[in-house]
Amino acid sequence: MSTILTRPVLAAALAATLALPAVLPTAAFARSSGTERTLKMVDTDSDGTIDLAEAQAAAGKVFDGAEKDKDGTVDAKELKGRVSKKDLKAADPDSDGTLDRKEYLALVEQRFKAADPDGDGKLDAKELKTPAGRSLLQLLK
C-alpha cells in the first residue's frame, strides 16, 4: 500500500521539479522585458541607449504627470513610491518636503551618473539592469 501512495507523490514531485525551470526564465524575462520596454520608450533617438537628455525628458513627463495639485512640486504621495523618504529628504535642499522640477531633474542626473560606471554618458540595457539603473528607471516611468 505504501508503494501505491508513494508513486503519486513521486510523480507530483517530478512534475514540479520539471515545471519549475520553465517558470523561472519567464519571471526573469518579465523583469528584463520591463527594462527593455522602458529603454525603448525613453530612447528617442533609437540608438539602444539612454543619454542624460533622454532621461531628463522622460523624467520631466513623469514629473508633470505626478504633479497633480499644480503647485509646481511633487511630494512623497505624488511620487507614489518612486523615491524613498530618505532619498526625498536628501534630494530636497530647501527641506520643504517636496521636490520642484529642478530638484527632481537633479535627482535624475545623480542616479544617471551612478548607473553609468564607465562614464560614457549613455546607459545600455545591461547598465539599466543594475541596482543603480533600476533606481533611475523608477524615476522615468
Side-chain angles (χ1 to χ4, degrees):
M1 186 158 148
S2 81
T3 304
I4 294 171
L5 292 177
T6 305
R7 284 184 184 166
V9 172
L10 288 175
L14 179 61
T17 302
L18 294 174
L20 186 60
V23 173
L24 293 177
T26 304
F29 177 74
R31 282 193 305 275
S32 69
S33 67
T35 301
E36 299 293 334
R37 253 191 328 268
T38 304
L39 174 61
K40 287 178 183 179
M41 181 181 71
V42 176
D43 178 23
T44 56
D45 63 5
S46 300
D47 68 351
T49 64
I50 297 174
D51 61 32
L52 181 58
E54 290 169 326
Q56 289 185 323
K61 291 176 185 176
V62 169
F63 181 90
D64 292 342
E67 205 269 298
K68 300 288 185 197
D69 58 9
K70 305 300 177 198
D71 67 352
T73 65
V74 290
D75 58 23
K77 183 178 178 183
E78 289 169 312
L79 288 171
K80 296 182 181 175
R82 287 184 177 96
V83 179
S84 70
K85 289 181 182 184
K86 179 182 173 187
D87 288 344
L88 178 64
K89 187 174 182 172
D92 182 20
D94 58 8
S95 300
D96 67 353
T98 66
L99 299 179
D100 62 26
R101 178 183 276 279
K102 183 178 175 183
E103 292 166 338
Y104 190 75
L105 294 180
L107 178 60
V108 168
E109 182 173 0
Q110 175 190 9
R111 289 189 178 183
F112 183 93
K113 288 179 179 178
D116 186 22
D118 60 8
D120 68 353
K122 296 183 178 201
L123 302 177
D124 59 22
K126 183 179 177 184
E127 290 168 317
L128 291 171
K129 291 176 185 174
T130 65
R134 288 191 305 269
S135 180
L136 170 67
L137 290 178
Q138 286 182 307
L139 300 176
L140 305 183
K141 56 182 181 172

